[in-house]
Amino acid sequence: MAPSDRSAGSMKAGGTTRVWVRRGLGLLGLAVAILLGLSHFVRLRYQGRIVPLASAPEAPLALVFGAGLAPGPVPSPVLAQRLDAAIALWRQGKVRSLLVSGDNSAPFHNETRAMRRYLLERGVPEDAVLGDEAGLSTYDSCLRAHSVFGANRAVLVTQRFHLSRALFIANSVGIDAWGVAADEGRATPWRYTVRETLSRVLALAMVLLEVKPASPDSQPPTAPR
């Protein structure tokens, strides 16, 4: 092959590569734009239902989502913040019961028991505390609150970064839900913002696909444990 032919072939190959790189980048950009758009939709859908604790509407119960345990085992600082806000709602007469929903799937990690103990030690009566030990995710907690515990109206208690997703799920599965930010007035760490961007899209998919909870028990526990 003559030198000019080799040069032309090389230029053609390089041009083809650049075309595919541009197409790949274009598709990636489109995928990111769609992901961000869907996440933004979920974030804004029930934004107006996030209210200060003092303005929370009355409801039969407050749904408190688990958030891990510290050594002890006791609620982590994030979880304690949620429980304190729930206690404030109960003391103000905004809710009659507190439903604590946690992940107890691992040995020696019983979120629901730790949450219940935290509430009882701070004066909430035992008959005002309900526990869902199969709240393996935000989606499961909301769906089970409605289908297993019969919640048709509730106040959701969690941090601000999490509320948009929780409210979207709860209202989508049949709960007339409002939200109170346990960290009201505090800045949201950037890592939570990034995580929620993806988690909101997953929540939208789960709602649309009507995914069943991991533990679809027909009845809640008959007594606190």
Side-chain angles (χ1 to χ4, degrees), residues 198-212:
L198 300 175
S199 296
R200 285 192 290 263
V201 177
L202 178 60
L204 175 60
M206 295 178 77
V207 166
L208 292 177
L209 295 173
E210 298 183 351
V211 175
K212 301 299 181 184

Side-chain angles (χ1 to χ4, degrees), residues 87-205:
I87 292 171
L89 283 170
W90 177 79
R91 287 176 176 168
Q92 291 181 19
K94 301 283 188 178
V95 297
R96 296 192 297 273
S97 301
L98 304 179
L99 172 57
V100 293
S101 184
D103 180 358
N104 305 316
S105 59
F108 311 109
H109 182 89
N110 194 314
E111 280 187 338
T112 307
R113 182 178 300 168
M115 294 163 77
R116 180 184 287 115
R117 183 168 58 244
Y118 187 96
L119 295 174
L120 297 180
E121 289 174 349
R122 284 155 182 79
V124 181
E126 188 169 333
D127 60 4
V129 181
L130 302 173
D132 182 6
E133 299 186 351
L136 305 182
S137 67
T138 303
Y139 181 85
D140 282 13
S141 293
C142 291
L143 192 56
R144 285 175 53 81
H146 178 62
S147 63
V148 177
F149 290 83
N152 294 315
R153 181 176 172 83
V155 177
L156 311 186
V157 183
T158 183
Q159 277 68 26
R160 178 98 186 186
F161 70 86
H162 182 216
L163 263 180
S164 297
R165 175 162 58 100
L167 281 169
F168 179 82
I169 296 171
N171 282 284
S172 297
V173 301
I175 302 176
D176 179 18
W178 294 73
V180 166
D183 58 345
E184 187 176 333
R186 297 177 175 86
T188 299
W190 69 268
R191 66 182 183 277
Y192 291 138
T193 301
V194 173
R195 187 184 73 181
E196 281 299 305
T197 298
L198 300 175
S199 296
R200 285 192 290 263
V201 177
L202 178 60
L204 175 60

Side-chain angles (χ1 to χ4, degrees), residues 15-68:
T16 301
T17 299
R18 285 193 293 271
V19 169
W20 281 108
V21 168
R22 285 197 298 269
R23 288 178 178 175
L25 291 175
L27 289 174
L28 178 61
L30 178 61
V32 170
I34 292 173
L35 185 147
L36 292 176
L38 293 175
S39 181
H40 191 61
F41 168 76
V42 172
R43 185 176 69 84
L44 295 182
R45 182 67 179 87
Y46 294 100
Q47 191 77 4
R49 286 180 171 244
I50 299 177
V51 296
L53 193 150
S55 303
E58 293 186 6
L61 61 81
L63 172 57
V64 189
F65 300 91

